[in-house]
């Protein structure tokens, strides 16, 4: 028992040190980016750097809790002091220049929110070249999307699968969770990721979800999203996309941003601490049903 406790302490201390040493870069601090930044600061990383040169207007404060007043300053400059209040131990700063071959090296994770397909491909290529984890995330109305690339091989520690045991009187398929008391509840694992520009066409994906069709249409900037969804549904033989999802894609819904932003920030924390299974390597969220579909592009 004492051996198990010592192992757990060592793993815990190692993960905390990794989290405290992490330097995170987030581009754009809109409703989605604000959720990501807030959670990252509260987690206790070493530093958070924000890039968002857009000028704050009065309308922005309605959907972004970090933009409390119309200051006329940039998003990043306005958000930094409000984020710093949440955790004085984290270094929160902003920059006004895009990532370069040199600047990207100082970060553990680069997260781009509300970006375009071309921007994701370009930034992912830059991050992969220098061994930096890359995340991309968007929301369109009630639909959310997240993609991440932790490199060709990402090693981490996760809890071993719980052994299901039942009484003799129970049916064979009855499952009960039980932790093995042998001092080795955790194991090392390896996950394999691919780059954003290697995402396969919809026809080769495993799952069918309205969110996939909307994300595909929005990132490829189709002229008529409704027609695009109808055509793809016919090709793939899937269900029709609800009109509610298509009608609201131009808006930013704070509850959806909170859900997707929470998932993104959780992934960042897992990645830098190298603990627990990461999402490999994309998530499509349907706010109408509350379902999140994970697509593994590597397998």
């Amino acid at each position: 028992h004492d051996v198990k406790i010592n192992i757990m302490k060592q793993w815990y201390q190692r993960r905390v040190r990794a989290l405290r040493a992490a330097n995170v870069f987030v581009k754009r601090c809109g409703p989605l980016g604000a959720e990501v930044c807030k959670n990252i600061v509260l987690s206790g990383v070493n530093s958070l750097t924000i890039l968002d040169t857009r000028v704050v207007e009065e309308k922005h404060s309605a959907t972004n809790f970090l933009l409390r007043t119309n200051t006329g300053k940039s998003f990043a400059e306005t958000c930094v002091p409000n984020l710093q209040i949440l955790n004085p131990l984290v270094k929160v700063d902003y920059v006004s220049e895009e990532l370069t071959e040199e600047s990207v090296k100082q970060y553990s994770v680069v997260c781009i929110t509300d970006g375009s397909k071309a921007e994701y491909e370009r930034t992912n290529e830059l991050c992969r070249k220098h061994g930096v984890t890359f995340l991309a995330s968007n929301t369109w109305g009630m639909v959310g999307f997240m993609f991440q690339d932790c490199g060709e091989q990402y090693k981490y520690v996760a809890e071993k699968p719980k052994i299901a045991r039942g009484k003799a009187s129970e049916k064979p398929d009855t499952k009960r969770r039980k932790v093995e008391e042998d001092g080795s509840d955790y194991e090392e694992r390896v996950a394999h990721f691919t780059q954003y520009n290697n995402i396969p066409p919809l026809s080769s994906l495993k799952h069918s979800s309205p969110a996939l069709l909307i994300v595909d249409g929005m990132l490829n900037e189709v002229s008529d999203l409704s027609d695009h969804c109808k055509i793809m549904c016919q090709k793939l033989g899937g269900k029709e996309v609800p009109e509610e999802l298509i009608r609201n894609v131009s808006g930013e819904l704070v509850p959806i941003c909170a859900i997707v932003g929470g998932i993104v920030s959780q992934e960042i924390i897992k990645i830098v601490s190298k603990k627990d299974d990461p999402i490999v390597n994309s998530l499509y969220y349907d706010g109408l049903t509350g379902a999140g579909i994970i697509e593994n592009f590597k397998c």
Side-chain angles (χ1 to χ4, degrees):
H1 184 69
D2 291 339
V3 173
K4 179 180 177 181
I5 292 177
N6 290 332
I7 293 174
M8 295 292 291
K9 284 183 177 180
Q10 291 175 10
W11 275 339
Y12 174 77
Q13 292 171 354
R14 198 181 308 162
R15 305 312 158 197
V16 171
R17 285 197 298 268
L19 183 64
R20 285 291 301 131
N23 299 308
V24 181
F25 176 92
V26 176
K27 184 175 180 180
R28 297 189 188 88
C29 203
L32 174 60
E35 292 289 344
V36 175
C37 291
K38 177 256 294 181
N39 293 328
I40 293 303
V41 168
L42 291 175
S43 73
V45 296
N46 180 56
S47 70
L48 170 67
T49 304
I50 304 171
L51 170 62
D52 195 336
T53 57
R54 294 175 296 175
V55 177
V56 177
E57 298 178 14
E58 188 174 357
K59 63 181 181 180
H60 295 137
S61 61
T63 57
N64 195 327
F65 58 89
L66 294 178
L67 306 176
R68 298 170 183 170
T69 57
N70 178 20
T71 62
K73 299 179 181 179
S74 70
F75 270 57
E77 189 177 2
T78 306
C79 290
V80 165
N82 294 330
L83 285 167
Q84 191 67 77
I85 293 174
L86 299 177
N87 192 343
L89 299 179
V90 176
K91 305 170 188 175
V92 185
D93 201 358
Y94 69 94
V95 294
S96 56
E97 297 180 353
E98 295 285 347
L99 289 171
T100 64
E101 294 278 354
E102 289 301 319
S103 64
V104 73
K105 297 177 183 179
Q106 63 185 297
Y107 301 112
S108 312
V109 178
V110 168
C111 177
I112 309 296
T113 63
D114 303 322
S116 64
K117 182 177 180 179
E119 181 180 25
Y120 291 157
E121 291 178 349
R122 182 176 63 253
T123 308
N124 190 184
E125 184 71 29
L126 180 64
C127 290
R128 173 63 81 96
K129 181 179 179 180
H130 296 284
V132 178
T133 295
F134 168 77
L135 285 93
S137 184
N138 287 71
T139 62
W140 297 279
M142 301 182 72
V143 173
F145 165 72
M146 188 210 77
F147 171 89
Q148 65 179 345
D149 174 23
C150 302
E152 179 65 27
Q153 286 192 338
Y154 168 72
K155 297 181 180 180
Y156 63 99
V157 172
E159 191 173 358
K160 289 182 178 180
K162 305 299 171 65
I163 297 178
R165 294 177 179 175
K167 296 180 180 179
S169 59
E170 295 177 337
K171 295 181 179 180
D173 60 347
T174 300
K175 294 182 179 180
R176 295 195 304 148
R177 297 174 68 84
K178 179 177 177 62
V179 178
E180 289 297 305
E181 300 294 340
D182 60 357
S184 57
D185 295 337
Y186 288 84
E187 61 184 3
E188 291 188 353
R189 298 179 185 173
V190 178
H192 302 277
F193 291 83
T194 189
Q195 291 182 243
Y196 185 84
N197 56 11
N198 292 329
I199 293 180
L202 289 179
S203 58
S204 64
L205 300 185
K206 300 176 183 178
H207 303 286
S208 176
S209 168
L212 272 76
L213 301 182
I214 290 181
V215 170
D216 180 70
M218 296 302 292
L219 287 176
N220 286 292
E221 301 179 357
V222 297
S223 57
D224 192 320
L225 182 61
S226 181
D227 285 347
H228 171 76
C229 291
K230 289 179 181 178
I231 294 172
M232 293 307 298
C233 280
Q234 293 175 356
K235 288 183 177 180
L236 302 176
K239 297 180 180 180
E240 291 188 5
V241 178
E243 187 61 31
E244 294 92 330
L245 292 179
I246 299 176
R247 187 168 57 242
N248 297 316
V249 293
S250 60
E252 293 177 304
L253 302 182
V254 175
I256 302 300
C257 292
I259 293 171
V260 178
I263 295 172
V264 172
S265 52
Q266 182 183 46
E267 288 303 303
I268 293 176
I269 294 170
K270 288 194 293 185
I271 289 165
V272 298
S273 62
K274 297 186 183 298
K275 183 178 181 297
D276 294 331
D277 296 308
I279 291 177
V280 183
N281 44 344
S282 67
L283 172 79
Y284 299 83
Y285 180 74
D286 179 355
L288 200 59
T289 62
I293 301 297
I294 295 176
E295 279 288 350
N296 185 343
F297 297 139
K298 196 67 178 177
C299 296

